[in-house]
Amino acid sequence: MMVINDVPKIGVGVIGLGSMGAPMTHNLLSHAPENVRVFVQGRRPEKLVPFVRAGATARNTPRELAVDSDIVIVMLPDLAQLEQVLAGTDGLLAGIETPTLLVVCSSVSPTGLRELAARLDAETGGLLRVVDAPVSGGTEGAEAGTLSIMVGGDPEDVARVLPVLSTMGTPLHLGPLGSGQVAKACNQMIVAATMTAVAEAAVVAERAGLDVAALLPLLQGGYAGSRVLETKAERIITRDYTPTGIAAFMVKDLTAAVAEADATGTAARQLRTNLDVFTDLVDAGLGDEDLAVVHRFAEIDPLG
């Protein structure tokens, strides 16, 4: 932690400036307390320019970012990508010289995260501790700063990161490390089930001769209404599957949910069905499209 003019300065580093990480970082820059200094790092220096213009400081490597940061936020696809950032002479671990918190906003396996945290604690002599803080709300929520942020970790660690996470949405501490990831798995169970139901309902309605453009807004006003229907209805109506968050990630998230269901002795029948749906969707070559592409998949005749 830096001290300038007797005011302690907190360094917050961010790695993972994609469709979610970028707007989250812009909100951090816009709303962070005055004593927070933001550092960013990425593989392509040109992508860092907008953040530098907004007040961030660019670093060339994860190691350099870690040296300056008391808190490091990562928004990467999965643990494999995080391992790449951690490893090597220029990796994040090489720059851990003082107590640092690693905040994992990615959606990952709760068990995998706990195992990683235990290893990092051992390898750094307790200097690098982990908090999990996966988010929900999509790119719309990331841009608006209204994300639901599901936090797991030691209470003292969480207390340090809550002011930072509050610039991006509403964080809630749910329990020990991994609790945030379990909550996100539950979130994805509901999102997947709702998205699949909306998509299949739209196909049935359209083939029965109904005007889907009129039907979906009507449904939003009744018990079928949901945030998923609200944000994805127009994409279904216009068949716009331009990715904001790609459908393939749902396989990872639902796989983690199945593991938790198994660990808790829960049958979770619909969860397993939806995992099959999204696995088949990816196998059909639609995984790189938006989540709303389940609508396109629902139109496919499984018998060819």
Side-chain angles (χ1 to χ4, degrees), residues 52-188:
V52 172
R53 288 175 178 166
T57 301
R59 288 293 179 254
N60 293 322
T61 66
R63 180 187 62 78
E64 292 178 9
L65 180 137
V67 169
D68 288 320
S69 301
D70 303 287
I71 297 170
V72 178
I73 296 172
V74 291
M75 177 54 90
L76 299 166
D78 206 346
L79 290 175
Q81 290 77 20
L82 176 54
E83 292 278 13
Q84 293 173 2
V85 166
L86 288 165
T89 55
D90 285 326
L92 198 66
L93 276 179
I96 301 300
E97 302 171 347
T98 57
T100 306
L101 287 174
L102 178 65
V103 183
V104 181
C105 289
S106 321
S107 299
V108 302
S109 160
T111 300
L113 180 76
R114 295 184 192 109
E115 292 173 349
L116 174 65
R119 195 189 87 217
L120 296 179
D121 183 73
E123 290 182 2
T124 64
L127 288 180
L128 183 59
R129 295 179 59 82
V130 179
V131 170
D132 62 312
V135 305
S136 180
T139 55
E140 302 92 344
E143 291 166 0
T146 58
L147 292 169
S148 294
I149 307 176
M150 297 154 271
V151 187
D154 179 84
E156 291 185 7
D157 296 338
V158 171
R160 288 179 58 196
V161 304
L162 285 182
V164 173
L165 295 175
S166 293
T167 67
M168 305 169 184
T170 302
L172 180 64
H173 186 200
L174 296 168
L177 185 67
S179 297
Q181 299 298 339
V182 174
K184 181 57 185 287
C186 293
N187 179 88
Q188 296 302 80

Side-chain angles (χ1 to χ4, degrees), residues 1-2 6 10 25 43-44 96 124 127 166 184 190 208 267 294 297 304:
M1 182 179 295
M2 302 171 286
D6 296 325
I10 300 172
T25 304
R43 288 177 295 179
R44 292 189 290 171
I96 301 300
T124 64
L127 288 180
S166 293
K184 181 57 185 287
I190 296 170
V294 180
F297 183 68

